[in-house]
Amino acid sequence: MSGPPASTPGMDPAVVIRSKPYIAALVLAALLGVPISAIAYGFLALVATIQRYIFDGLPNQVLGGPAPAWWPLPWLVLCGLLTALTIRYLPGTGGHSPAFGFKTGGGPPNGRELVGIILAALTTLSLGAVLGPEAPLIAIGGGLGALAVHLVKKDAPPMALTIMASAGSFAAISTLLGSPVLGAFLIMEAAGIGGMTLSLVALPGLLASGVGALVFVGLDGWTGLGSFSLALPVVPPAEPPTLATLGWAVIMGAAGALLGWLIRWVGLSLRPVVHLNRVLVTSALGLLIGLTAMAYQLISGHSFTQVLFSGQDALPELVEHAADYPLGVLVLLIACKTLAYGLSLSAFRGGPVFPSMFIGAALGIAASGLPGMNLAAAIGMGIGAMCAAMLRLPLTSTLLATLLLGVDGVAVTPQVVVAVAVAFVIANVLPTPGPRPGPTPRPGADPKASVAPDDVGPVQNRAPGKADHAK
């Protein structure tokens, strides 16, 4: 995905901010916020429409009732097949591999690469793989922002491309996480910049995200398709922090770090296998994800949709009916979602935020019955710990957990901070799970073919058109 650069040598941000081109960039960022946020809204609406039709409407039409437990199997195989073909044959390898976490850097994707990113994300998100939409939307918004600059001025300086690409990314996820500020914070912390350079890049982005948020709200009211913003309509009441909950926060942080390590181990360990034959292996992984969801429904009696998808839509229902889930069902849900998430990381395209939040919330609900624990604090600690383990962004992880709980998030902030800090430290101390390089070359094969293009970093750092042809 595209994002602000870590640094720009030879640039004086104070001079740039006072310049007329920068003022023009602010105006352009505000204008770009409208079409880019509308495209992002349309993409999310299309994903939701396909999901509802395939997993709700179609089984009612074909079978005359709710989808049976086996229903996800053919669709997850198709998901793997279409995603793999997109990654292999279209330029840009469908964007970043999510197995390496939430990353920014490099230039924005070009027009040809955007097609692959959109198609890979659409199949991944619509047909049941366990990844979120935030990473593809950031890449799409960045690519569209850079494309707009090229259309206006083909010889635009690199800084103009960087600012407009960042503004496009901000606009694309303006309300996805429930707040345009939170989405902007996610991008800026991942980029790892600060000082005046942060203000230089962030100001157009914040402006574009503010405009984009208004567009999202307007389209929601006009179309009635939904807001697509993460929110909890029902939030459990929070209680003041106690020594007991702070003690449990340490344990929750450690549990989140270990669970995150396990998820990443699954994803990174399978990547060399995926690169042996991407189409075949990705289709097989889709089947395994479907079997995991089917097993959950058969054993628990709850819908397989809780295991599939990003978890964004299932999270509010899980929290609202937390008291209705026996401990055994919650443990099974965590295990199945963890496995499906790890499998999805290895070969599909999407973001790591929403599945981490769902698993963290389920972990918190399961722990809420411990002595001295309360539900709101447990959910906040679980979400914060899992996000810190998977994203490696402690400030964003804290905000994700506390802002999601609304006004009650203030009361649980101390426990969330402890859980996030513990998870972040442990996640960085633990060894990197799984092998990172590509598979050992087969006898007679070209040694260079063993290192897949998406192992070497952001898609933008590779030559356009170099799709993943490793088998």
Side-chain angles (χ1 to χ4, degrees):
M1 75 193 69
S2 65
S7 62
T8 306
M11 179 193 67
D12 185 350
V15 173
V16 174
I17 290 176
R18 291 193 297 266
S19 65
K20 290 183 179 180
Y22 186 77
I23 302 300
L26 289 176
V27 176
L28 182 58
L31 295 176
L32 284 178
V34 176
I36 291 179
S37 57
I39 291 172
Y41 183 93
F43 177 82
L44 294 172
L46 179 59
V47 169
T49 300
I50 295 174
Q51 285 181 0
R52 285 194 296 266
Y53 176 73
I54 290 178
F55 295 95
D56 186 21
L58 189 59
N60 278 290
Q61 295 177 12
V62 176
L63 305 176
W70 57 264
W71 186 259
L73 299 183
W75 300 107
L76 265 299
V77 173
L78 180 63
C79 179
L81 175 63
L82 295 179
T83 303
L85 291 174
T86 300
I87 294 173
R88 182 176 175 187
Y89 291 109
L90 293 183
T93 68
H96 284 276
S97 170
F100 298 133
F102 190 90
K103 294 182 180 295
T104 64
N110 60 39
R112 295 177 62 202
E113 292 170 341
L114 276 176
V115 175
I117 292 173
I118 293 172
L119 291 179
L122 183 64
T123 54
T124 292
L125 301 173
S126 300
L127 299 179
V130 185
L131 290 170
E134 70 284 349
L137 284 181
I138 290 173
I140 293 169
L144 291 175
L147 181 61
V149 174
H150 279 300
L151 293 177
V152 174
K153 188 176 183 181
K154 292 185 178 181
D155 59 343
M159 179 51 63
L161 291 175
T162 297
I163 292 176
M164 288 302 102
S166 298
S169 295
F170 281 43
I173 61 166
S174 56
T175 62
L176 183 63
L177 299 177
S179 166
V181 176
L182 183 53
F185 202 94
L186 171 69
I187 298 175
M188 300 312 299
E189 187 181 15
I193 61 176
M196 287 297 292
T197 304
L198 172 62
S199 300
L200 177 67
V201 177
L203 187 57
L206 288 172
L207 184 59
S209 64
V211 174
L214 293 176
V215 173
F216 264 66
V217 173
L219 288 175
D220 176 29
W222 180 51
T223 65
L225 294 175
S227 66
F228 307 111
S229 298
L230 181 63
L232 294 180
V234 178
V235 178
E239 300 177 11
T242 63
L243 289 178
T245 55
L246 290 175
W248 286 122
V250 176
I251 298 176
M252 289 289 287
L258 294 175
L259 193 57
W261 186 92
L262 177 62
I263 294 170
R264 296 182 69 234
W265 177 82
V266 173
L268 290 173
S269 297
L270 287 173
R271 282 176 54 77
V273 182
V274 172
H275 294 139
L276 293 175
N277 190 320
R278 179 174 288 278
V279 175
L280 178 62
V281 175
T282 307
S283 301
L285 290 174
L287 178 62
L288 287 177
I289 295 170
L291 289 171
T292 302
M294 181 180 73
Y296 172 74
Q297 178 162 319
L298 291 175
I299 296 173
S300 69
H302 292 271
S303 173
F304 57 74
T305 56
Q306 292 185 319
V307 173
L308 302 181
F309 311 118
S310 69
Q312 177 185 358
D313 294 332
L315 180 58
E317 187 272 341
L318 177 69
V319 173
E320 181 178 358
H321 302 284
D324 300 334
Y325 286 84
L327 180 60
V329 172
L330 288 170
V331 172
L332 179 64
L333 176 59
I334 293 169
C336 291
K337 192 78 171 184
T338 294
L339 177 58
Y341 185 18
L343 295 174
S344 299
L345 285 176
S346 66
F348 295 86
R349 292 295 185 261
V353 174
F354 290 111
S356 302
M357 297 183 71
F358 184 89
I359 294 174
L363 182 65
I365 294 171
S368 63
L370 294 170
M373 184 74 89
N374 65 82
L375 182 58
I379 291 174
M381 289 187 288
I383 292 175
M386 281 302 304
C387 288
M390 295 302 298
L391 304 182
R392 308 297 179 94
L393 304 174
L395 297 179
T396 299
S397 300
T398 301
L399 288 175
L400 282 169
T402 54
L403 293 182
L404 184 64
L405 294 174
V407 294
D408 291 324
V410 177
V412 303
T413 299
Q415 302 98 303
V416 172
V417 168
V418 172
V420 167
V422 171
F424 181 75
V425 171
I426 295 177
N428 282 278
V429 170
L430 290 172
T432 301
R436 293 181 70 90
T440 302
R442 293 167 291 175
D446 181 0
K448 295 182 180 179
S450 65
V451 180
D454 57 356
D455 281 333
V456 299
V459 61
Q460 296 82 6
N461 291 342
R462 299 188 294 275
K466 298 293 184 182
D468 186 355
H469 294 291
K471 290 186 178 182

